[in-house]
Amino acid sequence: MQSMYVKRCPECGSVNLYWNREKGEIICRDCGLVIEEKMIDLGREWRELDSESSEHRRRAGAPLTYMQFDQGLGTEIGTKKDLFSFGSKKKNKFFRLRKWQQRVSTAIERNLKLALAELRRVSSYLKIPSAVEAEASRIYTLAAQKGLVRGRSMESVVAGALYAACRRHDVPRTLDEIAEASRIDKKEIGRTYRFITRELGITILPSNPVDYIARFASTLGLKPETQSKAIEIIEKAQKIELTSGRGPTGIAAAALYVAALINGEKKTQREVADVAGVTEVTIRNRYKELLEKLDLEKEMKKVKRREEILLKAKRKKKK
DNA sequence: AAGACGAAAGTGGTTGA
DNA sequence: TCAACAACTTTCGTCTT
């Protein structure tokens, strides 16, 4: 009899599930389906505080919700009755200010409403965890308040903010994926991403290739053992500084390619390259380095032996 | 015919004078 | 601000299966 409390994969019924707490994902080890994406923010406050106090003042958790365009905290310059106490010059100034503020703030609000709707669309398309979406809207809001949207399309800033939020939460999507979902050019997203992170002083660590493995492997339909193998390879490579300065997606792709070879579920370079959003050439380069500098000879010999056995079997069949 | 391999030229971003 | 640079891409020819 099955316990009704055991969680099962809705796709294949497997109970072999893997819960990645940090990313809020539950992944089925058998079919690779991402089942649930509820996310609790475990990260720390990311703002750059001045260096002395920064060690002590880190906070946990996400602040106010930025999903609403004014967070319910709008400020307005006062109306009539506040003005009796001013002379006429000041009064004029006050009116001007008020008018100006109304124009600006309604413009920002209108823009924010549109932008957050767009953000919602894109992130649901990409199945982004909600905490990351919230982070993205926060980033967008800050950017809008700083007037960084001017001269750029709203959509591209949304895409940039989303990309930044993904990176911050170690749930990286590739630029290609975001580009596809938002229909903004990849370069454009990269540009705005760099721009807004620089202007807002958001520091982002280079992403870890390991973070891509689960998703790539699952879209390629690779076995969980292959995933762990790939991760193992990456970790080895990181130890001898083979990964620094390289594009993380390229490394992830190459590691996955090698791991698939070793575990006997070969994928072509092209297949792997396509999901990872890199070219075959990059995979080849990384792959060559991996074989050279990591002692993978033994494992490759095994692969060759297996291939020979397969060949013999085929020849027998012909006879 | 398809995949793997590698050379060569081009692209966009970073860095350091 | 410009040039050198490293990583990556595009393109293409060749070899292997």
Short mmCIF file of all heavy atoms in Angstrom, two decimals, chain A residues 196-222:
data_model
loop_
_atom_site.label_atom_id
_atom_site.label_comp_id
_atom_site.label_asym_id
_atom_site.label_seq_id
_atom_site.Cartn_x
_atom_site.Cartn_y
_atom_site.Cartn_z
N ILE A 196 22.41 48.70 -15.91
CA ILE A 196 21.65 48.92 -14.68
C ILE A 196 22.35 48.35 -13.46
O ILE A 196 22.29 48.94 -12.39
CB ILE A 196 20.20 48.37 -14.76
CG1 ILE A 196 20.19 46.88 -15.03
CG2 ILE A 196 19.38 49.11 -15.78
CD1 ILE A 196 18.78 46.31 -15.09
N THR A 197 23.05 47.24 -13.62
CA THR A 197 23.75 46.74 -12.44
C THR A 197 24.87 47.69 -12.02
O THR A 197 25.10 47.91 -10.84
CB THR A 197 24.36 45.34 -12.66
OG1 THR A 197 25.06 45.33 -13.90
CG2 THR A 197 23.29 44.28 -12.68
N ARG A 198 25.52 48.29 -13.01
CA ARG A 198 26.57 49.24 -12.66
C ARG A 198 25.98 50.47 -11.99
O ARG A 198 26.41 50.91 -10.95
CB ARG A 198 27.35 49.64 -13.91
CG ARG A 198 28.49 50.57 -13.64
CD ARG A 198 29.56 50.50 -14.74
NE ARG A 198 29.05 50.02 -16.01
CZ ARG A 198 28.57 50.82 -16.96
NH1 ARG A 198 28.49 52.11 -16.76
NH2 ARG A 198 28.15 50.32 -18.10
N GLU A 199 24.92 51.02 -12.60
CA GLU A 199 24.33 52.24 -12.08
C GLU A 199 23.71 52.03 -10.70
O GLU A 199 23.69 52.93 -9.88
CB GLU A 199 23.25 52.76 -13.04
CG GLU A 199 23.80 53.27 -14.37
CD GLU A 199 24.76 54.44 -14.19
OE1 GLU A 199 24.41 55.34 -13.41
OE2 GLU A 199 25.84 54.43 -14.80
N LEU A 200 23.17 50.87 -10.47
CA LEU A 200 22.53 50.62 -9.18
C LEU A 200 23.51 50.07 -8.16
O LEU A 200 23.16 49.84 -7.02
CB LEU A 200 21.37 49.65 -9.34
CG LEU A 200 20.17 50.12 -10.17
CD1 LEU A 200 19.13 49.02 -10.29
CD2 LEU A 200 19.56 51.36 -9.58
N GLY A 201 24.73 49.84 -8.60
CA GLY A 201 25.73 49.32 -7.67
C GLY A 201 25.43 47.92 -7.18
O GLY A 201 25.72 47.56 -6.05
N ILE A 202 24.82 47.14 -8.03
CA ILE A 202 24.55 45.76 -7.66
C ILE A 202 25.76 44.92 -8.04
O ILE A 202 26.20 44.97 -9.18
CB ILE A 202 23.33 45.21 -8.42
CG1 ILE A 202 22.11 46.03 -8.10
CG2 ILE A 202 23.09 43.75 -8.08
CD1 ILE A 202 20.90 45.65 -8.93
N THR A 203 26.30 44.22 -7.06
CA THR A 203 27.44 43.38 -7.41
C THR A 203 26.96 41.96 -7.63
O THR A 203 26.19 41.43 -6.85
CB THR A 203 28.50 43.38 -6.31
OG1 THR A 203 27.85 43.15 -5.06
CG2 THR A 203 29.23 44.69 -6.27
N ILE A 204 27.41 41.37 -8.69
CA ILE A 204 26.98 40.02 -9.01
C ILE A 204 28.19 39.14 -9.26
O ILE A 204 29.08 39.48 -10.03
CB ILE A 204 26.06 40.03 -10.23
CG1 ILE A 204 24.73 40.64 -9.82
CG2 ILE A 204 25.88 38.64 -10.78
CD1 ILE A 204 23.76 40.79 -10.92
N LEU A 205 28.22 38.05 -8.54
CA LEU A 205 29.33 37.13 -8.72
C LEU A 205 29.16 36.41 -10.04
O LEU A 205 28.05 36.20 -10.49
CB LEU A 205 29.33 36.11 -7.58
CG LEU A 205 29.40 36.72 -6.18
CD1 LEU A 205 29.14 35.64 -5.14
CD2 LEU A 205 30.77 37.36 -5.96
N PRO A 206 30.26 36.04 -10.65
CA PRO A 206 30.15 35.24 -11.87
C PRO A 206 29.40 33.96 -11.56
O PRO A 206 29.60 33.37 -10.51
CB PRO A 206 31.61 34.95 -12.24
CG PRO A 206 32.43 35.40 -11.09
CD PRO A 206 31.63 36.34 -10.29
N SER A 207 28.54 33.55 -12.47
CA SER A 207 27.68 32.42 -12.15
C SER A 207 28.47 31.12 -12.22
O SER A 207 29.45 30.99 -12.93
CB SER A 207 26.50 32.38 -13.11
OG SER A 207 26.96 32.19 -14.42
N ASN A 208 27.99 30.18 -11.45
CA ASN A 208 28.65 28.90 -11.34
C ASN A 208 28.08 27.93 -12.38
O ASN A 208 26.89 27.76 -12.47
CB ASN A 208 28.40 28.37 -9.93
CG ASN A 208 29.15 27.09 -9.67
OD1 ASN A 208 29.53 26.37 -10.59
ND2 ASN A 208 29.36 26.80 -8.41
N PRO A 209 28.97 27.29 -13.14
CA PRO A 209 28.52 26.38 -14.18
C PRO A 209 27.59 25.29 -13.65
O PRO A 209 26.67 24.86 -14.35
CB PRO A 209 29.81 25.73 -14.69
CG PRO A 209 30.90 26.63 -14.26
CD PRO A 209 30.42 27.44 -13.12
N VAL A 210 27.83 24.90 -12.41
CA VAL A 210 27.02 23.84 -11.82
C VAL A 210 25.54 24.20 -11.81
O VAL A 210 24.67 23.34 -11.97
CB VAL A 210 27.50 23.53 -10.38
CG1 VAL A 210 26.56 22.60 -9.67
CG2 VAL A 210 28.90 22.95 -10.42
N ASP A 211 25.27 25.49 -11.67
CA ASP A 211 23.88 25.92 -11.61
C ASP A 211 23.09 25.63 -12.88
O ASP A 211 21.87 25.60 -12.88
CB ASP A 211 23.80 27.42 -11.31
CG ASP A 211 24.32 27.73 -9.92
OD1 ASP A 211 24.14 26.88 -9.04
OD2 ASP A 211 24.91 28.80 -9.72
N TYR A 212 23.79 25.46 -13.97
CA TYR A 212 23.09 25.21 -15.23
C TYR A 212 22.82 23.73 -15.47
O TYR A 212 21.97 23.36 -16.27
CB TYR A 212 23.92 25.73 -16.40
CG TYR A 212 24.04 27.23 -16.47
CD1 TYR A 212 25.16 27.89 -15.99
CD2 TYR A 212 23.01 27.99 -17.02
CE1 TYR A 212 25.28 29.26 -16.05
CE2 TYR A 212 23.11 29.36 -17.10
CZ TYR A 212 24.25 29.99 -16.61
OH TYR A 212 24.36 31.34 -16.68
N ILE A 213 23.61 22.88 -14.79
CA ILE A 213 23.59 21.47 -15.12
C ILE A 213 22.19 20.84 -15.05
O ILE A 213 21.74 20.21 -16.00
CB ILE A 213 24.54 20.69 -14.18
CG1 ILE A 213 25.99 21.09 -14.48
CG2 ILE A 213 24.37 19.21 -14.37
CD1 ILE A 213 26.48 20.67 -15.84
N ALA A 214 21.50 21.06 -13.94
CA ALA A 214 20.22 20.39 -13.75
C ALA A 214 19.27 20.68 -14.91
O ALA A 214 18.65 19.78 -15.46
CB ALA A 214 19.58 20.82 -12.43
N ARG A 215 19.21 21.92 -15.30
CA ARG A 215 18.26 22.30 -16.34
C ARG A 215 18.67 21.76 -17.71
O ARG A 215 17.85 21.23 -18.44
CB ARG A 215 18.11 23.81 -16.38
CG ARG A 215 16.68 24.26 -16.43
CD ARG A 215 16.53 25.64 -15.87
NE ARG A 215 17.73 26.43 -16.01
CZ ARG A 215 18.06 27.06 -17.12
NH1 ARG A 215 17.28 27.01 -18.15
NH2 ARG A 215 19.17 27.77 -17.18
N PHE A 216 19.93 21.93 -18.02
CA PHE A 216 20.41 21.43 -19.31
C PHE A 216 20.19 19.93 -19.40
O PHE A 216 19.68 19.42 -20.40
CB PHE A 216 21.90 21.74 -19.50
CG PHE A 216 22.19 23.20 -19.70
CD1 PHE A 216 23.50 23.66 -19.69
CD2 PHE A 216 21.16 24.12 -19.91
CE1 PHE A 216 23.78 25.00 -19.88
CE2 PHE A 216 21.43 25.45 -20.11
CZ PHE A 216 22.75 25.90 -20.08
N ALA A 217 20.60 19.23 -18.34
CA ALA A 217 20.49 17.78 -18.35
C ALA A 217 19.05 17.35 -18.50
O ALA A 217 18.75 16.41 -19.23
CB ALA A 217 21.08 17.21 -17.06
N SER A 218 18.16 18.06 -17.86
CA SER A 218 16.77 17.63 -17.93
C SER A 218 16.18 17.91 -19.31
O SER A 218 15.41 17.11 -19.82
CB SER A 218 15.96 18.27 -16.80
OG SER A 218 15.03 19.18 -17.30
N THR A 219 16.56 19.01 -19.95
CA THR A 219 16.02 19.22 -21.29
C THR A 219 16.66 18.26 -22.30
O THR A 219 16.06 17.97 -23.32
CB THR A 219 16.20 20.66 -21.79
OG1 THR A 219 17.55 21.05 -21.65
CG2 THR A 219 15.33 21.64 -21.05
N LEU A 220 17.84 17.77 -21.97
CA LEU A 220 18.47 16.80 -22.86
C LEU A 220 17.99 15.38 -22.57
O LEU A 220 18.31 14.45 -23.31
CB LEU A 220 19.99 16.85 -22.72
CG LEU A 220 20.73 17.98 -23.43
CD1 LEU A 220 22.18 18.03 -22.99
CD2 LEU A 220 20.66 17.77 -24.93
N GLY A 221 17.25 15.24 -21.47
CA GLY A 221 16.78 13.92 -21.10
C GLY A 221 17.89 12.99 -20.65
O GLY A 221 17.91 11.83 -21.01
N LEU A 222 18.82 13.53 -19.87
CA LEU A 222 19.93 12.72 -19.40
C LEU A 222 19.64 12.13 -18.03
O LEU A 222 18.89 12.70 -17.24
CB LEU A 222 21.21 13.55 -19.33
CG LEU A 222 21.77 14.01 -20.68
CD1 LEU A 222 22.89 15.01 -20.48
CD2 LEU A 222 22.25 12.83 -21.48
#
